Amino acid sequence: MQPRDLSDHSPYVPGRGVEEVARDRGLDPDDLIKLSSNENPHGPSPAAVEAIHEHADRVHQYPKSSHTDLTAKLAAKWDVPTEQVWVSPGADGSIDYLSRAALEPGDAVLAPTPGFAYYGMSARYHHGEVSEYALSPDDDFAQDAETVLTAYGGERIVYLTSPHNPSGSVMPLDEVRAIADATAEETLVVVDEAYGEFTEVDSAVPLTAERDDVAVLRTFSKAYGLAGLRVGYCVVPEAWGEAYARVNTPFAASELGCRAALAALDDEEHVAESVETARWAREYIADELDAPTVESAGNFVLAEVGDAERVAEEAQERGVIIRDCTSFGLPSHVRISTGTREGTCEAVDRLNETLSDLELGARP
Ligand code: PMP
C-alpha cells in the first residue's frame, strides 16, 4: 500500500540548524553563528520564558482559556472582532486553515516566485493547483499590483508577502488595495506579514475592516522570538470568522505557546529591541558585506554571491550558517538573517573572508 501520488509535492527545505552543522563538521555548536532561519537572535522575551515555567505543570489540560485569551488580546491589539482572529500553529497553520476554508479541489492559488514554499505546498495538500507571479532580481524584487495582476487568472487565493522572503522587498498598501480591487469577488488576497514588525510600511490588517476580500498573516516566530513554540494567526474578513470552528485542527496552538505569546505581547521592550537590532543589522550587512545586496525591510538580507551553494558551504567551515537560496530558485544568492550586533559584525567578517578566499581560488 502506498500514499497517494505525492510526486507534485516538493519537501520543505528548512535552513540548517546549529546542532546539525556542528555534528557534520566536527565543530563546537557554541562557535557557530546561525543566520539561516530568520530567527530572533535575542531569544524569547524573558516574560514568555517565565510564563512557560509558570504553566508547565498544567499541560495535562487542553488549551482552552489561554487560546480564548490570546485571541481576545490580538483582537484588541488590532481593533477587530475576536471572530476575525484565527490563532494557529505558526503562520503555516493559518495558511492551511485558509486552504481548507477556501479551496475546492482543483482551485488554484497565485504565489510569488521566488517565494515562501509553503503557500504552494499547502494548496497541493488540499488538492489545489499553484500558479506563480515572478519577482525579479533585476529590479530588486520590486512588488507592485501590475506584476501580480499580469499573472492573475482568477485564482481563489492570491498570496502577497510583505516583507517578502527571501528578498525583503515590500508591497505598499495602495498596491494591495489595487490588487484586491482588480481581482474577482471570489478571490481572497492574503497578505503575509510574518516579518511585518520589522518594516515601516503600514500593516494591511485595517483593510480587513474595510473590505471582505483581504486576510493578513502574522506570527510569533520572528520579532517575538517564539519560533519553537509554533504560534501564529490570521486576521480574516468578517464573513469568514465563523469558518474557523469548521477548519481548525482542535487545540493545535498549544497551551505553552498561547501562554508565552500572551506574555510576549506585553513585553513591548523585547519586541522594540528585536526590531531595532534587525534594522541596524540589515543596514550593516548592506554596507559592509563585499557583495551586492537587496534593500530589505525584514530581519534578513539577500546577497548575490555567485555560487550560493559553494559560498554557504565555505561559510559553514568558518562557523557561519546562512541560507543557500538555490531552493528558492536563486542559485547565485544567499540569505543572511540579522544577528545580534556582535554576531552580525563577526559573521560579516567571516563571510567577507569566505568571499575573498573563493575569489582568489577562482583566479587562474
Ligand atoms: N511566511 C513567511 C514569509 C515565512 O518566511 C515564514 C517562516 N519562515 C512563515 C510564513 C511561517 O512562519 P511560522 O509558521 O513559523 O509562523
Side-chain angles (χ1 to χ4, degrees):
M1 232 245 316
Q2 294 286 323
R4 69 179 164 109
D5 179 8
L6 296 171
S7 50
D8 265 1
H9 297 235
S10 335
Y12 183 73
V13 185
R16 301 205 70 205
V18 167
E19 306 292 330
E20 198 186 350
V21 172
R23 211 172 299 145
D24 280 4
R25 304 201 174 257
L27 298 169
D28 182 343
D30 290 342
D31 292 340
L32 291 172
I33 308 173
K34 185 186 180 214
L35 301 177
S36 55
S37 297
N38 300 343
E39 292 154 342
N40 190 327
H42 295 293
S45 144
V49 176
E50 202 180 311
I52 293 166
H53 284 298
E54 202 179 306
H55 292 87
D57 63 356
R58 276 177 256 170
V59 293
H60 58 295
Q61 294 168 343
Y62 286 106
K64 283 186 83 172
S65 53
S66 57
H67 186 283
T68 307
D69 292 352
L70 179 57
T71 305
K73 203 172 179 80
L74 290 168
K77 171 183 164 71
W78 290 107
D79 195 20
V80 295
T82 50
E83 295 70 30
Q84 285 180 240
V85 177
W86 291 7
V87 170
S88 59
D92 289 343
S94 279
I95 294 170
D96 280 336
Y97 293 171
L98 290 172
S99 298
R100 292 181 200 172
L103 301 180
E104 299 281 1
D107 279 353
V109 304
L110 182 65
T113 183
F116 183 51
Y118 201 66
Y119 309 136
M121 292 172 71
S122 178
R124 290 195 174 98
Y125 297 153
H126 295 88
H127 306 275
E129 312 277 330
V130 184
S131 332
E132 293 179 327
Y133 60 93
L135 300 179
S136 166
D138 298 340
D139 58 3
D140 280 353
F141 304 86
Q143 300 201 65
D144 55 34
E146 198 192 333
T147 310
V148 177
L149 293 172
T150 308
Y152 173 71
E155 287 80 3
R156 180 72 158 114
I157 298 178
V158 173
Y159 282 104
L160 312 176
T161 321
S162 185
H164 171 252
N165 179 10
S167 73
S169 71
V170 289
M171 177 73 85
L173 210 49
D174 284 349
E175 303 291 310
V176 176
R177 249 193 219 101
I179 292 165
D181 282 342
T183 48
E185 225 170 272
E186 289 304 302
T187 292
L188 182 70
V189 176
V190 177
V191 188
D192 182 345
E193 297 182 355
Y195 302 99
E197 288 80 7
F198 302 108
T199 175
E200 270 137 19
V201 169
D202 289 339
S203 169
V205 170
L207 296 189
T208 63
E210 275 170 37
R211 49 195 312 147
D212 65 359
D213 55 358
V214 172
V216 180
L217 299 171
R218 287 257 165 176
T219 183
F220 285 89
S221 296
K222 309 297 176 185
Y224 290 93
L226 298 178
L229 280 175
R230 316 301 304 125
V231 191
Y233 60 99
C234 183
V235 183
V236 299
E238 193 185 346
W240 288 57
E242 186 260 350
Y244 182 64
R246 298 172 196 271
V247 298
N248 86 98
T249 304
F251 307 116
S254 74
E255 173 68 9
L256 295 184
C258 291
R259 293 289 174 194
L262 278 162
L265 280 172
D266 282 336
D267 189 350
E268 286 170 15
E269 207 180 305
H270 174 265
V271 186
E273 190 194 6
S274 304
V275 169
E276 196 192 316
T277 310
R279 288 180 179 170
W280 172 86
R282 70 193 185 205
E283 293 304 317
Y284 183 86
I285 296 170
D287 290 345
E288 301 297 328
L289 189 75
D290 296 334
T293 56
V294 179
E295 186 177 343
S296 172
N299 62 343
F300 52 86
V301 174
L302 189 70
E304 193 176 359
V305 293
D307 184 343
E309 193 182 342
R310 181 105 200 271
V311 170
E313 274 281 310
E314 293 290 326
Q316 271 180 33
E317 285 292 336
R318 288 171 174 77
V320 184
I321 314 175
I322 53 173
R323 179 71 190 257
D324 160 18
C325 288
T326 305
S327 70
F328 282 98
L330 296 171
S332 306
H333 290 77
V334 293
R335 191 193 64 198
I336 306 156
S337 305
T338 55
T340 57
R341 283 169 198 253
E342 194 193 346
T344 303
C345 294
E346 181 62 35
V348 168
D349 280 350
R350 295 193 208 174
L351 288 172
N352 282 342
E353 277 169 29
T354 307
L355 292 169
S356 148
D357 286 357
L358 284 176
E359 198 185 320
L360 288 174
R363 277 196 197 134

